[in-house]
Amino acid sequence: MSLIEKCRLINLPKIADERGNLTFIEGNKQIPFGIERVYYLYDVPGGAERGGHAHKQLEQLIIASSGSFDVVLDDGNQKKRFHLNRPYFGLYVCPYIWRELDNFSSGSVCTVMASRPYEEDDYFRNYKDYLLVRSRK
Ligand code: TYD
């Protein structure tokens, strides 16, 4: 299996209710890792791009908790674009995947569940360095 094939959309539980729907996530249950950190992107201006990096160890689940945006995943060989627009779908991203987020709708919120604390040493921030490491694997 190629690295990009390990990344997938996960259909999260949805408790439908006329008072409003509810979705929940438990680490190592609906998603394949324990949750160590949660962060979110919001007030993203039109046309902005986020991401532009890969991680050595970090696993993540990316959710459009409100609105929509695109996530482009790249394993160094293959690229795949996902359009996220439902809060009950999460995109699982494994380590060593370069990601870029764009096409944010106005008022969108991108919530990320992460398997590890914030560690700058875990990032590849340079695409050429990332490709070099991937070509050696
Ligand atoms: P970065 O990961 O580059 O943002 P994105 O991938 O979402 O576009 O992070 C942007 C800045 O925020 C950077 O200076 C590091 C800081 N940051 C933290 O301090 N803690 C965190 O958990 C995250 C995700 C980022």
Side-chain angles (χ1 to χ4, degrees), residues 84-129:
L84 299 186
N85 61 356
R86 293 284 181 267
Y88 52 86
F89 273 106
L91 177 62
Y92 170 70
V93 183
C94 67
Y96 284 95
I97 296 285
W98 190 268
R99 88 287 315 274
E100 281 168 12
L101 286 76
D102 61 16
N103 200 21
F104 285 89
S105 69
S106 125
S108 58
V109 179
C110 167
T111 303
V112 182
M113 311 282 147
S115 65
R116 298 176 63 85
Y118 172 74
E119 298 158 316
E120 189 56 38
D121 285 356
D122 188 62
Y123 279 77
F124 289 101
R125 290 203 181 269
N126 181 292
Y127 189 61
K128 281 189 183 160
D129 293 345

Side-chain angles (χ1 to χ4, degrees), residues 20-21 30 40 53 70 75 89 117:
N21 300 330
Q30 293 80 20
Y40 28 96
H53 50 74
D70 289 359
D75 67 5
F89 273 106

